[in-house]
Amino acid sequence: MTILLFGVTKDIVGSPSLSIPTASVTGRSIPKTVRELRSFLNKSYPELGKLSSLAIAVNNSYAQDDDQINSYDEIALIPPVSGG
Amino acid sequence: MIKPDRFVRQTSLSGFGLEKQAKLADSKVLIVGLGGLGLPVAQYLNAMGVGTLGLVDQDFVELHNLQRQVLYSEDDIGKLKLEVTSQKLKAQNSQTLLKCFDTYLTKDNALEIVKEFDVIVDATDNFAARYVINDACVILNKPFVYGALHAFEGQVSVFNYEDGPTYRCLFPKMPSPEETPNCATNGILGILPGIIGTLQALETVKIITGVGEVLSGKLLVYDGLLQNTRKVNFTVVAENKVITKLQTDYGFDLCESSPSISAKDFLALQQRKKLQVIDVRSIEEFNKDHLSGSVNITIEELKNSLQKINFDNDVYLLCQSGKRSERACAILKSLKPEAIMYSVSGGLNQMASVCP
């Protein structure tokens, strides 16, 4: 599962995208909903968990926490940015 | 009287014509912020014949603005952005009615200013202002054209357009000061605001004239490094369309909660007496160069270092450009409301240009 990163999430993770290895490689379950993805990310990168608002787009649509995700989906983390 | 051939390249454009030109002439657009985003918006809308342009800013031109705020020249350093911009816009198109607001947009003046206009362009550089604009536009039922930048990226959308979603439908909660990158790390490639600002100008023209499809319910995310654009669809969250009044507090609403002193006045005062100056920049920045007699407490350490500050005396907060010191001032003010403190506007950069 590949997650595209924007704004400050790119700075926090330190790269423009993030790969979550599939269960067959790690033996751990991969996130199946947006909510599970959020908690997975917060554990791996506590700084992400501190963001007040972080939009998650699945296949270019704003996703709700209950939405299902799978490894074929294109996922993007989009935080608000403030520069002008 | 508008000379008929001035806009001939637009009026002869199939799908635009005299009818759309007349709509531009009748429209009133408010541009909040005359920085990297606001300037291209102002220049293009002014050139294209928008009848009334409102300009809101209280900042001064500084040397480090010139890399991206391309309307300003070296001669303009130290002048009010509002003054320089209105002069140059007048020379560009004398027909436009310019309404200048020598202030920042805050919860105290937003409704009064916004209500006069048809379309609001958010060209600000801080979250507090963006949330104030959102809420004021929802209350007054005005569309606003959002643009924002981060490093090599930009975002554009039109919020609150007719029944469309708002800024809060996308980002419900305002980020706290701690999670906002500070001005030393929050760099922007000079060209980015030009790209994002012109896209905002285009959306403004579309709203006014009805040509094309307004970027409502879609967030355009632009990645300058890869030349990628992505449009993320999002929908209305009903509660965000019902705002009846502005919040009493927009967190670190810098503009109204932190008293400031100009770099010039600060320097003059400092010659006369010894001031308690707290430099809130990083240790590295402080070690490189600092004002003699100033004490370094980084903005991150501020809350836990109150014992290092003598609140019986006036406190002068200083940083490189004045942004972190404003934020520091807001933080300290919330902890010590009785204490007297000032943020030095424009920081060390401004001091250098006042007293080279």
Side-chain angles (χ1 to χ4, degrees), chain A residues 4-11 16 47 50-64 74-84, chain B residues 36-37 68 124-127 130-131 146 148-150 153 155 167 169-176 179-180 186 188 219 221 223 230-234:
Chain A
L4 303 170
L5 306 171
F6 293 93
V8 72
T9 68
K10 202 186 258 182
D11 305 337
E47 290 294 312
K50 290 183 193 162
L51 300 178
S52 311
S53 282
L54 175 61
I56 296 187
V58 178
N59 302 325
N60 287 327
S61 282
Y62 184 95
Q64 306 295 335
E74 189 195 57
I75 295 168
L77 302 189
I78 303 174
V81 298
S82 73
Chain B
L37 294 171
R68 66 188 184 289
T124 61
D125 63 357
N126 65 85
F127 287 119
R130 295 182 186 285
Y131 281 84
Y146 159 82
L149 309 165
H150 180 92
E153 285 172 34
Q155 298 181 352
Y167 187 43
C169 298
L170 194 60
F171 303 122
K173 273 195 222 145
M174 188 170 105
S176 65
E179 62 188 272
T180 316
N186 192 11
I188 287 169
L219 176 73
V221 182
D223 178 345
R230 156 181 311 270
K231 276 192 264 180
V232 175
N233 296 293
F234 62 102

Side-chain angles (χ1 to χ4, degrees), chain B residues 79-97:
Chain B
K79 295 182 191 164
L80 261 183
K81 289 183 175 179
L82 191 67
E83 241 162 61
V84 179
T85 305
S86 63
Q87 270 170 20
K88 295 196 178 180
L89 293 184
K90 234 173 258 167
Q92 185 191 24
N93 184 350
S94 57
Q95 302 292 320
T96 312
L97 177 62

Side-chain angles (χ1 to χ4, degrees), chain B residues 96-108:
Chain B
T96 312
L97 177 62
L98 298 175
K99 292 193 170 175
C100 296
F101 298 91
D102 182 8
T103 176
Y104 291 113
L105 199 79
T106 70
K107 65 177 172 56
D108 299 318

Side-chain angles (χ1 to χ4, degrees), chain B residues 153-166:
Chain B
E153 285 172 34
Q155 298 181 352
V156 185
S157 190
V158 176
F159 294 122
N160 204 45
Y161 177 71
E162 296 175 349
D163 297 327
T166 74

Side-chain angles (χ1 to χ4, degrees), chain B residues 44-150:
Chain B
Y44 272 104
L45 295 184
N46 188 52
M48 289 176 69
V50 166
T52 303
L53 280 179
L55 309 171
V56 187
D57 207 324
Q58 205 175 27
D59 202 4
F60 294 88
V61 179
E62 293 176 59
L63 180 63
H64 61 93
N65 295 150
L66 302 187
Q67 144 277 9
R68 66 188 184 289
Q69 302 179 13
V70 297
L71 186 67
Y72 303 134
S73 336
E74 290 175 6
D75 292 349
D76 298 326
I77 291 170
K79 295 182 191 164
L80 261 183
K81 289 183 175 179
L82 191 67
E83 241 162 61
V84 179
T85 305
S86 63
Q87 270 170 20
K88 295 196 178 180
L89 293 184
K90 234 173 258 167
Q92 185 191 24
N93 184 350
S94 57
Q95 302 292 320
T96 312
L97 177 62
L98 298 175
K99 292 193 170 175
C100 296
F101 298 91
D102 182 8
T103 176
Y104 291 113
L105 199 79
T106 70
K107 65 177 172 56
D108 299 318
N109 61 23
L111 293 174
E112 200 55 35
I113 294 175
V114 166
K115 74 171 187 208
E116 289 184 44
F117 295 87
D118 308 318
V119 183
I120 316 306
V121 180
D122 171 6
T124 61
D125 63 357
N126 65 85
F127 287 119
R130 295 182 186 285
Y131 281 84
V132 169
I133 292 172
N134 177 78
D135 294 356
C137 286
V138 172
I139 292 169
L140 297 167
N141 199 22
K142 311 271 185 189
F144 80 100
V145 184
Y146 159 82
L149 309 165
H150 180 92

